[in-house]
C-alpha cells in the first residue's frame, strides 16, 4: 500500500500551548510537524521563527518539516537547521539561488525540498528533481491557513508524478493548502504522498480522530 505521510501545520494551532499541541500531535499519529515561516515580504503575513522552532523541537520527537516562505532562504539555512529542521523546503520564486540553497540544506544534514506557488508551472521544478527529497505543490496562495484547495493544481501534481515515475526518482510530492477529508483523496489520486493539513485537523473534536478520518479519505 502507498505510504501517505500526514504533515500537521501548526499555523492555526493554539500558540499559547505549543508544547501540549506538539505532544498531542505525537499521540495523534501524524508523521510530520509542518512549520510555516513567513517574513511579511515574500508573503503578506508574518508567522514565527527560530526561537519558536527550537521550542517545538525541544517538545517533540516528531520529524520537523520547515516551509520557508521568505525572500532570501539561503541566508537562513544554517539557523533553520540549528533550530531543529529535519526537512527544509523553500520557494523557487524566492531570490536565493536554488542550487546553492539545496546544497546548503544538504551540507547542513537536512532533507531539502523545493516549493511551487500556484502560478509556477511544474516545469520550473524539473532541473532540481534529482537533487531534492521533496517537491511541494502549493494548493493555495501561500500566506494563510484556512483557504480553499485549488483543484486546478491537480494537473501539476499529475505531471510531476508522471515525471518522477518515468525517471524512477525518489522525490516525494507534498501538497499544502486546503487539505481536508474531501480534497485529500483527490491529491493522493493525482500522485501526492505528503499531505500538509492545518485548519481541518485543528477543527476536529480530537486530533487523533482527524488524522484517522484524513488517512481513510486519502486512501479511499
Ligand atoms: C499556507 C501554509 C500552510 C497552511 C495550511 O501558506 O503554507 O501550511 O498552514 O493550512 P490549511 O490546511 O488550513 O490550508
Ligand atoms: Zn506550509
Amino acid at each position: 500500500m502507498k505510504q501517505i505521510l500526514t504533515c500537521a501545520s501548526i499555523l492555526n494551532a493554539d500558540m499559547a500551548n505549543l508544547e501540549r499541541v506538539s505532544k498531542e500531535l505525537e499521540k495523534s499519529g501524524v508523521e510530520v510537524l509542518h512549520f510555516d515561516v513567513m517574513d511579511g515580504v515574500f508573503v503578506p503575513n508574518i508567522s514565527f521563527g527560530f526561537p519558536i522552532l527550537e521550542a517545538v523541537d525541544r517538545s517533540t520527537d516528531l520529524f520537523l518539516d520547515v516551509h520557508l516562505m521568505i525572500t532570501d532562504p539561503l541566508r537562513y539555512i544554517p539557523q533553520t537547521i540549528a533550530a531543529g529542521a529535519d526537512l527544509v523546503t523553500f520557494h523557487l520564486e524566492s531570490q536565493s539561488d536554488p542550487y546553492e540553497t539545496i546544497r546548503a540544506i544538504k551540507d547542513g544534514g537536512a532533507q531539502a525540498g523545493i516549493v511551487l506557488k500556484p502560478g509556477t508551472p511544474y516545469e520550473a521544478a524539473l532541473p532540481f528533481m534529482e537533487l531534492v527529497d521533496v517537491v511541494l505543490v502549493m494548493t493555495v496562495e501561500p500566506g494563510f491557513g484556512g483557504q480553499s484547495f485549488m483543484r486546478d493544481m491537480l494537473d501539476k501534481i499529475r505531471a510531476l508524478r508522471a515525471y518522477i515515475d518515468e525517471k524512477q526518482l525518489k522525490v516525494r510530492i507534498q501538497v499544502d493548502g486546503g487539505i481536508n477529508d474531501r480534497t485529500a483523496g483527490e491529491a493522493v489520486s493525482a500522485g501526492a504522498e505528503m499531505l500538509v493539513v492545518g485548519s481541518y485537523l485543528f477543527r476536529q473534536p480530537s486530533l487523533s480522530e482527524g488524522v484517522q478520518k484524513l488517512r481513510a479519505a486519502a486512501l479511499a
Side-chain angles (χ1 to χ4, degrees), residues 190-212:
E193 297 164 291
M194 295 175 79
L195 303 174
V196 177
V197 56
S199 43
Y200 169 80
L201 197 56
F202 288 96
R203 270 202 314 264
Q204 301 303 310
S206 90
L207 292 174
S208 311
E209 255 177 69
V211 172
Q212 278 170 25

Side-chain angles (χ1 to χ4, degrees), residues 79-123:
Q79 264 174 286
T80 306
I81 295 173
D86 298 300
L87 161 67
V88 184
T89 64
F90 68 95
H91 278 260
L92 285 181
E93 308 86 357
S94 74
Q95 285 171 11
S96 302
D97 177 80
Y99 292 103
E100 276 186 58
T101 310
I102 293 166
R103 195 174 327 118
I105 298 170
K106 295 281 189 176
D107 286 352
Q111 293 186 19
I114 47 173
V115 191
L116 307 177
K117 280 187 183 182
T120 304
Y122 85 94
E123 289 91 340

Side-chain angles (χ1 to χ4, degrees), residues 27-213:
K27 286 197 218 117
S28 75
V30 300
E31 287 85 4
V32 174
L33 193 153
H34 180 89
F35 191 90
D36 289 298
V37 180
M38 304 179 187
D39 66 358
V41 179
F42 184 75
V43 290
N45 196 10
I46 298 177
S47 55
F48 31 58
F50 305 120
I52 309 293
L53 180 57
E54 269 170 31
V56 169
D57 187 42
R58 275 199 307 275
S59 59
T60 180
D61 290 329
L62 280 172
F63 185 92
L64 295 187
D65 156 25
V66 180
H67 175 192
L68 295 177
M69 285 163 273
I70 64 177
T71 309
D72 187 8
L74 178 58
R75 183 169 167 195
Y76 295 101
I77 297 305
Q79 264 174 286
T80 306
I81 295 173
D86 298 300
L87 161 67
V88 184
T89 64
F90 68 95
H91 278 260
L92 285 181
E93 308 86 357
S94 74
Q95 285 171 11
S96 302
D97 177 80
Y99 292 103
E100 276 186 58
T101 310
I102 293 166
R103 195 174 327 118
I105 298 170
K106 295 281 189 176
D107 286 352
Q111 293 186 19
I114 47 173
V115 191
L116 307 177
K117 280 187 183 182
T120 304
Y122 85 94
E123 289 91 340
L126 302 186
F128 312 104
M129 294 293 275
E130 301 193 12
L131 306 173
V132 294
D133 302 282
V134 170
V135 56
L136 166 51
V137 175
M138 289 305 299
T139 42
V140 298
E141 286 299 340
F144 300 91
Q147 304 179 73
S148 300
F149 182 80
M150 297 167 75
R151 284 211 162 64
D152 45 351
M153 294 301 114
L154 290 168
D155 279 345
K156 194 189 287 189
I157 300 168
R158 284 188 200 103
L160 288 168
R161 177 85 268 149
Y163 185 87
I164 291 166
D165 289 350
E166 192 205 320
K167 302 246 177 207
Q168 300 187 338
L169 301 176
K170 287 208 176 74
V171 51
R172 291 180 200 263
I173 301 176
Q174 185 179 42
V175 286
D176 186 4
I179 295 295
N180 57 37
D181 56 6
R182 283 168 293 114
T183 57
E186 296 180 54
V188 168
S189 305
E193 297 164 291
M194 295 175 79
L195 303 174
V196 177
V197 56
S199 43
Y200 169 80
L201 197 56
F202 288 96
R203 270 202 314 264
Q204 301 303 310
S206 90
L207 292 174
S208 311
E209 255 177 69
V211 172
Q212 278 170 25
K213 256 164 68 182

